[in-house]
Amino acid sequence: PPTTPSAVLEEARWSILNAWLGQADGAAFRAYAQGITLRLLLDRANPHLAAMTSGRYQMVWPPDTTDLLPRMLDRHQANAVRPVSNLSGGERFQVSLALALGLSDMTSRTLRPGTLFLDEGFGTLDEHALDTALDTLERLQEDGRTVGVISHVKELAERFGTQIRVRKAGGTSLLEGPGVTRPSPPAATAPPAPRRRGRSRAPSTGTCGPCPE
């Protein structure tokens, strides 16, 4: 055991690191590193979530938890902290959208994503939540980003001027909208000439010997 004060202090420091990260499979260190990234993500996602929920929800991650799932702090319920699974479908969509926007904000200055595609999820929102989510997307457009929404909700058609529609055509689907061009039909070609059956004999071209007188 260490005997000097400096050695005791050094042993205590390494003991703390071992308690945090000292596992043979590296799980503790992996969770520690992922936790740092998760905190950065929540810092960038929470402003988007606050704008969509009028400041009601905030995502938090307790440091003593063993998983990487954020909890929801509900300011309308005396700052109660509850799991995401207790939220409604529309609220979970708002959380997912806030995380996606926060993740795009985490990219470097030289690699800033200019396009964001959202696939479904709007059908779970009520009228007020839908308006709030679309207002957030419109602010992104004003910021210079291109936002694409894939959905069957009719109310979205009134908010997006540029649309690409998918229309059923028999057993296939056709795209209609700006920038969509249909491929030209293949050019008609003459059918090949029918081949004659049987073998053709080539004319003989040999020379004959002296003819009898």
Side-chain angles (χ1 to χ4, degrees):
T3 55
T4 62
S6 60
V8 172
L9 182 62
E10 185 71 9
E11 182 187 32
R13 186 169 67 92
W14 282 103
S15 297
I16 294 174
L17 288 175
N18 180 66
W20 284 356
L21 312 176
Q23 288 187 357
D25 58 356
F29 177 76
R30 185 166 57 250
Y32 175 78
Q34 291 173 343
I36 295 176
T37 304
L38 179 59
R39 290 190 184 94
L40 293 175
L41 174 59
L42 297 184
D43 287 342
R44 287 160 176 77
N46 273 324
H48 298 290
L49 182 62
M52 287 186 287
T53 62
S54 301
R56 176 177 180 177
Y57 289 115
Q58 177 183 349
M59 289 178 284
V60 296
W61 186 62
D64 56 345
T65 185
T66 58
D67 55 46
L68 293 172
L69 294 176
R71 273 59 169 178
M72 304 306 302
L73 187 147
D74 189 350
R75 291 191 173 88
H76 290 189
Q77 299 293 332
N79 291 336
V81 178
R82 52 197 180 102
V84 179
S85 57
N86 287 354
L87 300 178
S88 65
E91 291 170 336
R92 286 197 297 269
F93 172 78
Q94 291 175 328
V95 170
S96 300
L97 178 57
L99 289 172
L101 297 176
L103 186 61
S104 66
D105 292 341
M106 288 180 64
T107 56
S108 64
R109 296 180 180 178
T110 59
L111 187 62
R112 184 174 182 268
T115 303
L116 178 67
F117 281 96
L118 302 176
D119 187 3
E120 286 299 343
F122 290 92
T124 61
L125 302 179
D126 57 27
E127 183 178 357
H128 175 70
L130 179 62
D131 289 339
T132 304
L134 292 179
D135 288 340
T136 303
L137 298 180
E138 289 176 352
R139 285 196 297 269
L140 291 177
Q141 286 183 314
E142 295 174 356
D143 192 35
R145 299 188 186 184
T146 301
V147 180
V149 177
I150 305 172
S151 179
H152 63 278
V153 178
K154 295 181 179 180
E155 287 77 2
L156 295 180
E158 302 176 357
R159 303 287 293 266
F160 290 89
T162 304
Q163 303 175 18
I164 297 179
R165 299 178 179 271
V166 181
R167 180 173 61 85
K168 292 183 178 180
T172 61
S173 299
L174 296 177
L175 297 180
E176 297 177 343
V180 177
T181 58
R182 295 185 180 181
S184 302
T189 57
R195 300 181 59 183
R196 298 176 60 185
R197 296 185 178 181
R199 299 177 61 184
S200 60
R201 298 180 60 183
S204 58
T205 58
T207 58
C208 61
C211 296
E213 296 180 358

